[in-house]
Amino acid sequence: MGIVSKGAKCNFEGCDQDGARSLNTSKVENAGLRVNSTGKKTVLCKEHYKEYKKESKDDRDLERARFDKF
């Protein structure tokens, strides 16, 4: 059983919705989101996960390009 299936709440500051995804805390902070998590994993609700995806799109594209073969 994972963190989300146990009923964890969103770690975004000021949000108390149920979590939808758990992500690496450092990646979420690098995307510019303010979270209250001190551990390795951060739980985000659906709304804040969507915001994370928008903010980290360029980073994810660069990361994916590193592994593409020409």
Side-chain angles (χ1 to χ4, degrees):
M1 265 185 128
I3 299 169
V4 175
S5 62
K6 290 181 181 177
K9 298 291 184 186
C10 182
N11 291 131
F12 192 82
E13 288 183 9
C15 182
D16 61 348
Q17 297 181 17
D18 291 333
R21 294 288 187 121
S22 63
L23 301 164
N24 189 325
T25 301
S26 61
K27 287 186 179 184
V28 174
E29 289 174 343
N30 288 341
L33 275 73
R34 299 178 316 272
V35 292
N36 296 332
S37 181
T38 57
K40 289 182 181 180
K41 293 288 185 175
T42 297
V43 179
L44 296 178
C45 62
K46 189 172 183 178
E47 178 183 331
H48 290 117
Y49 178 67
K50 189 173 182 180
E51 186 178 330
Y52 162 76
K53 282 183 15 181
K54 286 181 183 179
E55 294 293 328
S56 65
K57 184 173 183 176
D58 292 337
D59 295 336
R60 289 182 293 118
D61 286 344
L62 288 172
E63 188 70 25
R64 209 170 316 139
R66 283 185 35 207
F67 295 106
D68 284 344
K69 295 190 179 197
F70 301 135

